[in-house]
Amino acid sequence: MTSAEKHNRMANAIRFLSMDAIEKANSGHPGLPMGAADVATVLFSRYLKFDPKNPLWPDRDRFVLSAGHGSMLLYSLLYLTGYEDMTIEDIKQFRQLGSKTAGHPEYGHASGIETTTGPLGQGIANAVGMAIAERKLAQEFGSELQNHFTYALVGDGCLMEGISQEAIALAGHLKLNKLIVFWDDNKITIDGAVSLSDSTNQIARFKSVNWNTIEIDGHDQDAIAAAIEQAQKSDRPTFIACKTIIGFGAPNKQGSHKVHGSPLGAEEIAATRKALNWEADAFSVPADVLDNWRLAGLRSTKARKEWEERLAAAETEKRAEFVRRFAGDLPGGFDSALDAFKKKVAANNPTVATRKASEDVLEVINGLLPETLGGSADLTPSNNTKTSQMKSISPDDFSGRYMHYGIREHATAAAMNGIALHGGLIPYSGGFLIFSDYCRPSVRLAALMGIRVVHVWTHDSIGVGEDGPTHQPVEHVASLRAIPGLMLFRPADETETAECWQIALNNKHRPSGLALTRQNLMPVRKEYEEKNLCASGAYELVSSSDAKVTLFASGSEVEIAVKAAEALEGKGVATRVVSVPCVELFFEQSEDYRKAILGKSPVKIAIEAGVREGWDAFIGNDGAFIGMKSFGASGPAKDLYKHFGITVEAVVAAAEAKL
Amino acid sequence: MTSAEKHNRMANAIRFLSMDAIEKANSGHPGLPMGAADVATVLFSRYLKFDPKNPLWPDRDRFVLSAGHGSMLLYSLLYLTGYEDMTIEDIKQFRQLGSKTAGHPEYGHASGIETTTGPLGQGIANAVGMAIAERKLAQEFGSELQNHFTYALVGDGCLMEGISQEAIALAGHLKLNKLIVFWDDNKITIDGAVSLSDSTNQIARFKSVNWNTIEIDGHDQDAIAAAIEQAQKSDRPTFIACKTIIGFGAPNKQGSHKVHGSPLGAEEIAATRKALNWEADAFSVPADVLDNWRLAGLRSTKARKEWEERLAAAETEKRAEFVRRFAGDLPGGFDSALDAFKKKVAANNPTVATRKASEDVLEVINGLLPETLGGSADLTPSNNTKTSQMKSISPDDFSGRYMHYGIREHATAAAMNGIALHGGLIPYSGGFLIFSDYCRPSVRLAALMGIRVVHVWTHDSIGVGEDGPTHQPVEHVASLRAIPGLMLFRPADETETAECWQIALNNKHRPSGLALTRQNLMPVRKEYEEKNLCASGAYELVSSSDAKVTLFASGSEVEIAVKAAEALEGKGVATRVVSVPCVELFFEQSEDYRKAILGKSPVKIAIEAGVREGWDAFIGNDGAFIGMKSFGASGPAKDLYKHFGITVEAVVAAAEAKL
């Protein structure tokens, strides 16, 4: 058999597994796996550094299927190359409930799935994050421990989504030369021809953001190989435009949008078998083909062993640090350092904005955790995310630990996901809370994947003031709380800010967002307590026996609640205050704890400079809510609080009206 | 005085008004108004077709300040050119509560503010929508009634945001040659130099998406004029890169990020006065300068009068239609057509997916309303948005009424905003509900501005099935309901779908989103009723005297509620069902109505295939909720409903447990 024949049969194995699985599921996207099979075969059988027996090898090349609807391409590759947790039975269970082989690749379902993709454009931006992580860790630990490529396969959808522009501009700026992106250029989208909606010259576009570009026939294995070899030597990231035929091999449907997202049907599959000269039954891979694929899966065994030897030979401290960092464990002393910080805060009780409080905590954290990679989407002086340890990273110098992500919230969040998925680093970055909307799809994916990224979202309410309603989040705290798994913290003072950071970093498998104020807040937690009270999501800040009124509040409004409670107590009304730094965590507590915190006061009032949605869970639908009913307005923050009736007086009046 | 001197003094008037207002407010962004004053002066004094006395003249050129933080540039221009509702007092009230001159330009606050900007990248995409509207209306009504340019001024932030790529790719594809974008190329962002985070060759980037490009010195009035004249003749949209000095004129601060977002301070303002040879007091514009500006404001009076003559001379029907369309009024017969449709539905009671129901309603609507401009972000066959009347628009043929927006949800939503703001058209477009996250910033702005756009969001729950959790919205209905003003509809069958469309279109000043199913639903409204029951947001679908149980549900879960009620009634438990197609509208009803609908059943249960957040407002925090507590999963829809416990049996069990 010639090398070309061998290649074709290997690629066809992907095509038939994909067709068969999609046919059996009666649902799925055959177009991409069939069209991109040649590119994937060359990459996985000749270039990709990976070891199916050690899927988490830290120096493996990363492969991201950004066009996640082509999931059968990835599942086929994992099965064929010998990942033990991807069997032919798993392939047969494609798109069935409880299977590893979900409709789109789901991180954590099976080894070799480096990230969850499907929402278009996310994968390419994840890949940029992975390449950032590799470069940073190579700088830190040396090329003997970190020296791998990151590959991504993207479709037209990925490239049309705006996030792709943010991501490729960032990658080009940073000269991420070990990032290699294949474009499955098949000229087809769901509506029909790409030309219905786009006329972009993608090569020129990538050149304009400082990429190396190559154009090839995506079905020519030699051209694919030559392109990869050229890309590996580039001093810039490389974009390989691969002209392909969508649904390659299906004689009557290939090249049309009909093969994009529907099973081919038995008849067309039979015709494809004939056209591609494939005699094996459904889900059956001829022995020679499977052997060749399994051999491909063994290609990097030696490299992996050599790498392990290098790790073993590294000096003890470096090795331990590398292993710790990739395990995602925090260094010893983290909790006690934050505890010491809390003591110091309690001794001073500063009146500060929580964005500044966060900076103070970060100063401690970044001193202790070399793995934090800070940053901001061009709001560094506003987000207070750059501490003394954080030298800026530049294209030619990755010795720093601070990313200037640019005005690109979406790619920032997606790159952070990629950094976290890569391992070895904990990414945090800043933005205005209002612009969490710009990166919401990536925040959601972090929650779905269960990865540790921390968003520092400052300017968290009408407290923003003069910038007005376009810059004042009113619904964002509620809407972020709606994302399953995400811990949205809204701390009330410096102590709570420290506790929230502590929880965020101690959770390896959850993303966090910290909603922080621009304006100064008085301390509400004045006494040092060893326990992290924020960890239960809500806790009694001010107790009062047989309370007639309970005030629930978060963040900047806790101060209002405390003052209102004092005023009510002064009027003889027993009032307790519950601080609610994290709604999610509260509802994960035991029923007993929740009942105790909600309490039995006849009057319950929630106070938050945001919308009511979600607060009925605390106060019932007969409770009173002091907050926002509309968008904000432009004016000094104090005027706005008064104008929108979020004041001590309003709380007292609401309590009295209810009593 | 030479023409150059005259220009300089006019531009300096903008600079000083901006500096003075920002200084007085002690807050704001002087950098852009000072840096872009020359570009704005040439445009407004020599080219822009506008009439401050007739600010809503339908054929005026549109000017969008995409870099909205430079709001004082716009306010200065409006005051100087003689808009009557922008006085020097308004300028002095910059950024104060209740003033017209908000921190960022707010649509509706004053004439001449064509759109709300501030969230970066939105304005340029709005401008693309305006240019689409112009082209479409010119095609429809002729160049004698529609023949204007759309100008936008963008900064680095606008160009870094991903939405800008979506927008410019769409504009380039459509050859929107009457769109002219100025880039305030000042090389500065908040973090410092643009080079900290970006290396994009913007000229090459715009060329790659089919734009005409020009590079000029943004302080050279002749070059600016020549560029505009060249752009006006282009057969493609034009990008004019204007090299400017941020904070131009402030001798000690210009050219640095220090002038971007803070007042200059009295000392620097005094130094600027000296440097620019400006003797007038704060907020005072020398008479010669004001005269020249006011003359500039009169420049298009003649053109406007001639336009009015042309309109008056048009044939009666065409004139009436044009006037009606720009007034935003629906044609007579709209409500009765939908009523007839409802009658037809009640006669057939079809079991259909609400996305298909929506297509059926749209078939009626589009037949009656020539102003609807349909579209989809590349999901036409899934969103069912293309009815028989909807021929596709192509770059060379705007006679169609259907936009293939491409895989660009964000630019789609922002362009829809621009189309609605332009007037004369009602844009609707389709996408998957899950990807409402991709366009959330634009949806929010539609709500903030109060404009009529309709989002057709299909595939609205785990009912999506096999595509899995990346494609299954669970938190989106809740998070969209959190946006003030947005009407998020989730109809339960074809009748409700028709009613929701009717409400959406009858509301000139609110955006809507329709969350629609992929899967078939049985009819729940079987009898024809004249009244639009959905208009009250929630209504009693199944009544039961002295009900022990009330079931609240929306969309696809109403069917489950109805069946559960039947089961409970069968067991002797009096049960009523409330359908909740629109939470927002329900909470706008009278207290009496709300109380009556919420009712007094001891047991209240809400059923929705989404998160609980928001439902406590109906059922109290002691009610039961049947819905999602996590992300979804990949599998057939029916399996998923069972797996996640959203079934008739689960509802019955929950009711019995509570009783």
Coordinates of all heavy atoms in Angstrom, one line a residue, chain A residues 95 103-104 120 161-162 166 173 189-191 195 197-199 201 208 378 380 404 408-409 437-438 440 444 467 469 472 475 478 613 634, chain B residues 95 103-104 120 122 161-162 166 173 189-191 195 197-199 201 208 378 380 404 408-409 437-438 440 444 467 469 472 475 478 613 634:
Chain A
R95 N -24.4 11.1 21.2 CA -25.5 11.9 21.4 C -26.7 11.3 22.2 O -27.8 11.8 22.2 CB -26.1 12.4 20.1 CG -25.2 13.4 19.4 CD -25.8 14.0 18.1 NE -25.1 15.3 17.8 CZ -25.6 16.4 17.6 NH1 -26.9 16.6 17.7 NH2 -24.9 17.5 17.4
G103 N -23.2 15.7 21.9 CA -23.4 16.3 20.6 C -22.2 17.2 20.3 O -21.8 17.3 19.1
H104 N -21.8 17.9 21.3 CA -20.5 18.7 21.1 C -19.5 18.3 22.1 O -19.9 17.7 23.2 CB -20.9 20.2 21.3 CG -21.8 20.8 20.2 ND1 -23.1 20.6 20.2 CD2 -21.5 21.5 19.1 CE1 -23.7 21.1 19.1 NE2 -22.7 21.7 18.5
L120 N -19.7 29.0 18.8 CA -18.6 29.2 17.8 C -17.6 30.3 18.2 O -18.0 31.3 18.9 CB -19.2 29.5 16.4 CG -19.9 28.2 15.9 CD1 -20.7 28.5 14.6 CD2 -18.9 27.1 15.7
E161 N -17.6 35.0 13.9 CA -17.9 35.5 15.3 C -16.8 36.5 15.7 O -15.6 36.3 15.5 CB -17.9 34.4 16.3 CG -19.0 33.4 16.2 CD -20.4 33.9 16.6 OE1 -20.5 35.0 17.0 OE2 -21.3 33.1 16.5
G162 N -17.3 37.6 16.3 CA -16.4 38.7 16.7 C -15.3 38.2 17.6 O -14.1 38.8 17.5
E166 N -10.9 39.3 18.2 CA -10.3 39.7 19.4 C -9.1 38.7 19.7 O -8.0 39.1 20.1 CB -11.3 39.7 20.6 CG -12.4 40.7 20.4 CD -13.4 40.7 21.6 OE1 -13.0 40.1 22.7 OE2 -14.5 41.2 21.5
H173 N -0.5 39.9 18.1 CA 0.3 40.9 18.9 C 1.4 40.3 19.8 O 2.5 40.7 19.8 CB -0.7 41.7 19.8 CG 0.0 42.6 20.7 ND1 0.8 43.8 20.3 CD2 0.2 42.6 22.1 CE1 1.3 44.3 21.4 NE2 1.0 43.6 22.5
T189 N -22.2 27.4 4.9 CA -22.8 27.6 6.3 C -24.2 27.0 6.2 O -24.6 26.5 5.2 CB -22.8 29.1 6.7 OG1 -23.8 29.7 5.9 CG2 -21.5 29.7 6.5
I190 N -24.9 27.2 7.3 CA -26.2 26.6 7.4 C -27.2 27.2 6.4 O -28.0 26.5 5.8 CB -26.7 26.7 8.9 CG1 -26.0 25.8 9.8 CG2 -28.2 26.4 8.9 CD1 -26.3 26.0 11.3
D191 N -27.1 28.5 6.2 CA -28.0 29.1 5.3 C -27.7 28.8 3.8 O -28.5 29.0 2.9 CB -27.9 30.7 5.5 CG -28.9 31.1 6.5 OD1 -29.5 30.3 7.2 OD2 -29.2 32.3 6.7
S195 N -20.8 32.8 0.7 CA -20.9 34.1 -0.1 C -22.3 34.8 0.1 O -22.5 35.9 -0.3 CB -20.7 33.8 -1.6 OG -21.7 32.9 -2.0
S197 N -23.3 35.7 2.9 CA -23.2 36.6 4.0 C -21.8 37.1 4.2 O -21.5 38.0 5.1 CB -23.7 36.0 5.3 OG -22.9 34.8 5.6
D198 N -20.8 36.7 3.5 CA -19.4 37.1 3.8 C -18.6 37.2 2.5 O -18.7 36.4 1.6 CB -18.8 36.1 4.8 CG -17.5 36.6 5.4 OD1 -17.5 37.8 5.8 OD2 -16.5 35.9 5.4
S199 N -17.7 38.2 2.5 CA -16.8 38.3 1.4 C -15.3 38.5 2.0 O -14.5 39.1 1.3 CB -17.1 39.5 0.6 OG -18.5 39.5 0.2
N201 N -11.6 38.3 2.9 CA -10.4 37.6 2.5 C -9.6 37.3 3.8 O -9.0 38.1 4.4 CB -9.5 38.6 1.6 CG -8.2 38.0 1.2 OD1 -7.7 37.1 1.9 ND2 -7.7 38.5 0.1
S208 N -3.2 41.0 8.5 CA -3.3 42.3 9.1 C -3.1 42.3 10.6 O -2.9 43.3 11.2 CB -4.7 42.9 8.7 OG -5.7 42.4 9.6
D378 N -8.0 46.3 29.4 CA -7.7 47.7 29.3 C -8.4 48.6 30.3 O -8.8 49.7 30.1 CB -8.1 48.2 27.9 CG -7.4 49.6 27.6 OD1 -6.2 49.7 27.8 OD2 -8.1 50.5 27.3
T380 N -6.9 48.5 33.6 CA -6.0 48.3 34.8 C -6.1 49.4 35.9 O -6.3 49.0 37.0 CB -4.5 48.2 34.2 OG1 -4.5 47.2 33.3 CG2 -3.5 48.0 35.3
H404 N -2.0 42.6 29.3 CA -2.8 43.7 28.8 C -3.6 43.1 27.7 O -3.2 43.0 26.5 CB -1.9 44.8 28.3 CG -1.2 45.5 29.4 ND1 -1.8 46.5 30.2 CD2 0.0 45.4 29.9 CE1 -1.0 46.9 31.1 NE2 0.2 46.3 31.0
R408 N -11.1 43.8 24.9 CA -11.5 42.5 24.3 C -12.0 41.6 25.4 O -11.4 40.6 25.7 CB -10.3 41.9 23.6 CG -9.5 42.7 22.6 CD -8.4 41.9 22.0 NE -7.6 42.6 21.0 CZ -6.4 43.0 21.1 NH1 -5.7 42.8 22.2 NH2 -5.8 43.6 20.1
E409 N -13.1 42.0 26.0 CA -13.6 41.2 27.1 C -13.9 39.8 26.8 O -13.6 38.9 27.6 CB -14.9 41.8 27.7 CG -14.8 43.3 28.2 CD -14.8 44.3 27.1 OE1 -15.1 44.0 25.9 OE2 -14.7 45.5 27.4
D437 N -21.4 41.3 30.2 CA -22.3 40.9 29.1 C -21.5 40.6 27.8 O -21.9 39.8 27.0 CB -23.3 42.1 28.8 CG -24.5 42.0 29.6 OD1 -24.7 41.0 30.4 OD2 -25.3 42.9 29.5
Y438 N -20.4 41.3 27.6 CA -19.6 41.1 26.4 C -18.9 39.7 26.4 O -18.4 39.3 25.4 CB -18.5 42.2 26.3 CG -19.0 43.4 25.6 CD1 -19.8 44.3 26.2 CD2 -18.5 43.8 24.3 CE1 -20.2 45.5 25.5 CE2 -18.9 44.9 23.6 CZ -19.8 45.8 24.3 OH -20.2 46.9 23.6
R440 N -20.1 37.0 28.4 CA -20.9 36.0 29.0 C -20.8 34.6 28.4 O -20.8 33.6 29.2 CB -22.4 36.5 28.9 CG -23.3 36.0 30.0 CD -24.6 36.7 29.9 NE -25.6 35.8 30.4 CZ -25.9 35.7 31.7 NH1 -25.3 36.4 32.6 NH2 -26.8 34.8 32.1
R444 N -20.0 31.4 30.9 CA -20.9 30.2 31.0 C -20.1 29.0 30.7 O -20.3 28.0 31.4 CB -22.0 30.4 29.9 CG -23.0 29.2 29.9 CD -24.0 29.4 28.9 NE -25.2 28.7 29.3 CZ -25.6 27.5 28.9 NH1 -24.8 26.8 28.1 NH2 -26.7 26.9 29.3
D467 N -20.9 58.1 34.6 CA -20.8 57.4 33.3 C -22.2 57.0 32.8 O -22.4 56.7 31.6 CB -19.8 56.2 33.4 CG -18.4 56.6 33.1 OD1 -18.2 57.7 32.6 OD2 -17.5 55.8 33.3
P469 N -26.2 55.1 32.6 CA -26.8 53.8 32.5 C -26.1 52.8 31.6 O -26.2 51.6 31.8 CB -28.2 54.1 32.0 CG -28.2 55.5 31.4 CD -27.1 56.2 32.2
Q472 N -23.7 51.3 34.1 CA -24.2 50.9 35.4 C -24.9 49.6 35.3 O -26.0 49.5 34.8 CB -25.1 52.0 36.0 CG -24.4 53.3 36.3 CD -25.4 54.5 36.5 OE1 -26.6 54.3 36.3 NE2 -24.8 55.6 36.8
E475 N -28.9 44.7 36.1 CA -29.4 43.3 36.0 C -28.3 42.3 36.0 O -28.5 41.1 36.0 CB -30.2 43.2 34.7 CG -29.4 43.1 33.4 CD -29.1 44.5 32.8 OE1 -29.0 45.4 33.6 OE2 -28.9 44.5 31.6
A478 N -27.9 39.7 39.0 CA -29.0 38.7 38.9 C -28.7 37.8 37.8 O -28.8 36.5 37.9 CB -30.3 39.4 38.7
E613 N -35.1 40.5 40.9 CA -35.1 39.1 40.4 C -34.1 38.2 41.3 O -32.9 38.5 41.3 CB -34.8 38.9 39.0 CG -35.2 37.6 38.4 CD -34.8 37.4 36.9 OE1 -33.6 37.2 36.6 OE2 -35.7 37.5 36.1
S634 N -27.2 59.1 34.7 CA -25.9 59.7 34.8 C -25.9 60.8 35.9 O -26.8 61.7 35.8 CB -25.5 60.4 33.5 OG -24.3 61.1 33.6
Chain B
R95 N -23.3 65.6 32.8 CA -23.1 64.5 33.8 C -23.8 64.7 35.1 O -23.5 64.0 36.1 CB -21.6 64.2 34.1 CG -20.9 63.6 32.9 CD -19.5 63.2 33.1 NE -19.1 62.2 32.1 CZ -18.6 61.0 32.4 NH1 -18.4 60.6 33.6 NH2 -18.3 60.2 31.4
G103 N -23.3 61.2 30.8 CA -21.9 60.9 30.7 C -21.6 60.3 29.3 O -20.6 60.6 28.7
H104 N -22.5 59.5 28.8 CA -22.4 59.0 27.4 C -23.7 59.4 26.7 O -24.7 59.6 27.3 CB -22.3 57.5 27.5 CG -21.0 57.0 28.0 ND1 -20.8 56.9 29.4 CD2 -19.8 56.6 27.5 CE1 -19.5 56.5 29.6 NE2 -18.9 56.3 28.5
L120 N -18.4 49.9 24.0 CA -17.6 50.1 22.7 C -18.0 49.1 21.6 O -18.3 48.0 21.9 CB -16.1 50.0 23.1 CG -15.7 51.2 24.0 CD1 -14.3 51.1 24.4 CD2 -15.9 52.5 23.3
Q122 N -20.5 49.2 19.7 CA -22.0 49.2 19.4 C -22.3 50.2 18.3 O -23.1 49.9 17.4 CB -22.8 49.5 20.7 CG -22.7 48.5 21.8 CD -23.2 47.1 21.4 OE1 -24.2 47.1 20.7 NE2 -22.6 46.1 21.9
E161 N -13.0 45.6 20.0 CA -14.1 44.8 20.3 C -14.5 43.9 19.1 O -14.6 44.4 18.0 CB -15.3 45.6 20.7 CG -15.2 46.4 22.0 CD -15.3 45.6 23.2 OE1 -15.4 44.3 23.1 OE2 -15.1 46.1 24.3
G162 N -14.8 42.7 19.4 CA -15.1 41.7 18.3 C -16.3 42.1 17.5 O -16.4 41.8 16.3
E166 N -17.5 41.8 13.1 CA -18.7 41.3 12.6 C -19.4 42.4 11.7 O -19.9 42.1 10.6 CB -19.7 40.8 13.7 CG -19.1 39.7 14.6 CD -20.1 39.3 15.7 OE1 -21.3 39.7 15.6 OE2 -19.7 38.6 16.6
H173 N -19.3 43.2 2.9 CA -19.9 42.2 2.0 C -21.1 42.9 1.3 O -21.3 42.7 0.1 CB -20.5 41.1 2.9 CG -21.3 40.1 2.2 ND1 -20.9 39.3 1.2 CD2 -22.7 39.9 2.2 CE1 -21.9 38.6 0.7 NE2 -23.0 39.0 1.3
T189 N -4.9 54.0 24.8 CA -6.0 53.5 25.5 C -5.8 53.7 27.0 O -4.9 54.4 27.4 CB -6.2 51.9 25.3 OG1 -5.1 51.3 26.0 CG2 -6.1 51.6 23.8
I190 N -6.8 53.2 27.8 CA -6.7 53.5 29.2 C -5.4 52.9 29.8 O -4.8 53.6 30.7 CB -8.0 52.9 29.9 CG1 -9.2 53.7 29.5 CG2 -7.8 52.9 31.4 CD1 -10.5 53.2 30.0
D191 N -5.0 51.8 29.4 CA -3.8 51.2 30.0 C -2.5 51.9 29.6 O -1.5 51.7 30.2 CB -3.7 49.7 29.7 CG -4.5 48.8 30.7 OD1 -5.2 49.4 31.5 OD2 -4.3 47.6 30.7
S195 N 0.0 50.1 21.7 CA 1.0 49.0 21.4 C 1.2 48.1 22.6 O 1.8 47.0 22.4 CB 2.3 49.7 21.0 OG 2.8 50.5 22.1
S197 N -1.2 46.4 23.8 CA -2.1 45.2 23.6 C -2.4 44.9 22.1 O -3.1 44.0 21.8 CB -3.4 45.5 24.4 OG -4.0 46.6 23.9
D198 N -2.0 45.8 21.2 CA -2.4 45.6 19.8 C -1.4 45.9 18.8 O -0.6 46.9 19.0 CB -3.7 46.4 19.5 CG -4.4 46.0 18.3 OD1 -4.6 44.8 18.1 OD2 -4.7 46.9 17.5
S199 N -1.3 45.1 17.7 CA -0.4 45.4 16.6 C -1.2 45.4 15.3 O -0.6 45.1 14.2 CB 0.7 44.4 16.6 OG 1.3 44.2 17.8
N201 N -2.8 46.1 11.8 CA -2.8 47.0 10.7 C -4.2 47.3 10.3 O -4.8 46.5 9.6 CB -1.9 46.5 9.6 CG -1.9 47.4 8.4 OD1 -2.8 48.2 8.2 ND2 -0.8 47.3 7.6
S208 N -9.3 43.9 4.0 CA -9.6 42.4 3.9 C -11.1 42.1 3.9 O -11.5 41.0 3.6 CB -8.8 41.7 5.0 OG -9.5 41.8 6.2
D378 N -27.5 33.2 10.3 CA -27.2 31.9 9.7 C -27.9 30.7 10.3 O -27.4 29.6 10.4 CB -25.7 31.6 9.8 CG -25.3 30.5 8.8 OD1 -25.7 30.6 7.6 OD2 -24.6 29.6 9.2
T380 N -31.4 30.3 9.3 CA -32.7 30.4 8.6 C -33.5 29.2 8.7 O -34.7 29.2 9.1 CB -32.5 30.9 7.2 OG1 -31.8 32.2 7.2 CG2 -33.8 31.0 6.4
H404 N -29.3 37.9 5.3 CA -28.4 36.8 5.8 C -27.3 37.5 6.6 O -26.3 37.9 6.0 CB -27.9 36.0 4.6 CG -28.9 35.2 3.9 ND1 -29.4 34.0 4.4 CD2 -29.7 35.4 2.8 CE1 -30.4 33.5 3.7 NE2 -30.5 34.4 2.7
R408 N -23.0 36.0 13.2 CA -22.6 37.2 13.8 C -23.8 37.8 14.6 O -24.4 38.7 14.3 CB -22.3 38.3 12.7 CG -21.4 37.9 11.6 CD -21.2 39.0 10.6 NE -20.2 38.7 9.6 CZ -20.5 38.5 8.3 NH1 -21.7 38.6 7.9 NH2 -19.5 38.2 7.5
E409 N -24.1 37.1 15.7 CA -25.2 37.5 16.5 C -25.1 38.9 17.1 O -26.1 39.6 17.2 CB -25.4 36.5 17.7 CG -25.7 35.1 17.3 CD -24.4 34.3 17.0 OE1 -23.3 34.9 17.2 OE2 -24.5 33.1 16.7
D437 N -26.8 35.2 24.5 CA -25.6 35.7 25.3 C -24.6 36.4 24.4 O -23.9 37.3 24.9 CB -24.9 34.5 25.9 CG -25.5 34.1 27.3 OD1 -26.4 34.8 27.7 OD2 -25.0 33.1 27.8
Y438 N -24.5 36.0 23.1 CA -23.5 36.6 22.2 C -23.9 38.0 21.9 O -23.1 38.8 21.4 CB -23.4 35.8 20.9 CG -22.3 34.7 21.0 CD1 -22.6 33.5 21.7 CD2 -21.1 34.7 20.3 CE1 -21.7 32.5 21.8 CE2 -20.2 33.7 20.3 CZ -20.5 32.6 21.1 OH -19.6 31.5 21.1
R440 N -26.1 40.0 23.9 CA -26.7 40.7 25.1 C -26.4 42.2 25.2 O -27.4 42.9 25.5 CB -26.3 39.9 26.3 CG -27.2 40.0 27.5 CD -26.8 39.0 28.6 NE -27.2 39.6 29.8 CZ -28.5 39.3 30.3 NH1 -29.3 38.5 29.7 NH2 -28.8 39.9 31.4
R444 N -29.6 44.8 25.5 CA -29.7 45.7 26.6 C -29.9 47.1 26.1 O -30.7 47.9 26.6 CB -28.4 45.6 27.5 CG -28.5 46.5 28.7 CD -27.2 46.4 29.5 NE -27.5 46.7 30.9 CZ -27.3 47.9 31.4 NH1 -26.8 48.9 30.7 NH2 -27.7 48.2 32.7
D467 N -28.0 18.3 20.8 CA -26.8 19.2 20.7 C -26.2 19.5 22.1 O -25.1 20.0 22.1 CB -27.3 20.6 20.1 CG -27.2 20.5 18.5 OD1 -26.5 19.6 18.0 OD2 -27.7 21.4 17.9
P469 N -25.5 20.6 26.3 CA -25.6 21.7 27.2 C -25.1 23.0 26.6 O -25.5 24.1 27.0 CB -24.8 21.3 28.4 CG -24.0 20.1 28.0 CD -24.8 19.5 26.9
Q472 N -28.2 24.3 25.0 CA -29.4 24.3 25.7 C -29.5 25.5 26.7 O -28.8 25.5 27.7 CB -29.6 23.0 26.5 CG -29.8 21.8 25.5 CD -29.6 20.5 26.2 OE1 -29.2 20.4 27.4 NE2 -29.8 19.4 25.5
E475 N -30.4 29.2 31.8 CA -30.5 30.5 32.5 C -30.9 31.7 31.7 O -31.0 32.8 32.2 CB -29.1 30.7 33.2 CG -28.0 31.2 32.3 CD -27.3 30.1 31.5 OE1 -27.9 29.1 31.3 OE2 -26.1 30.4 31.1
A478 N -34.4 33.5 32.3 CA -34.3 34.3 33.6 C -33.4 35.5 33.4 O -33.7 36.6 33.8 CB -33.7 33.4 34.7
E613 N -34.7 31.0 39.3 CA -34.6 32.4 39.6 C -35.7 33.2 39.0 O -35.9 33.2 37.7 CB -33.2 32.9 39.1 CG -32.8 34.3 39.7 CD -31.5 34.8 39.2 OE1 -31.5 35.3 38.1 OE2 -30.5 34.8 40.0
S634 N -26.7 16.1 26.7 CA -26.9 15.7 25.3 C -27.7 14.4 25.2 O -27.3 13.4 25.9 CB -25.5 15.5 24.6 OG -25.7 14.9 23.3

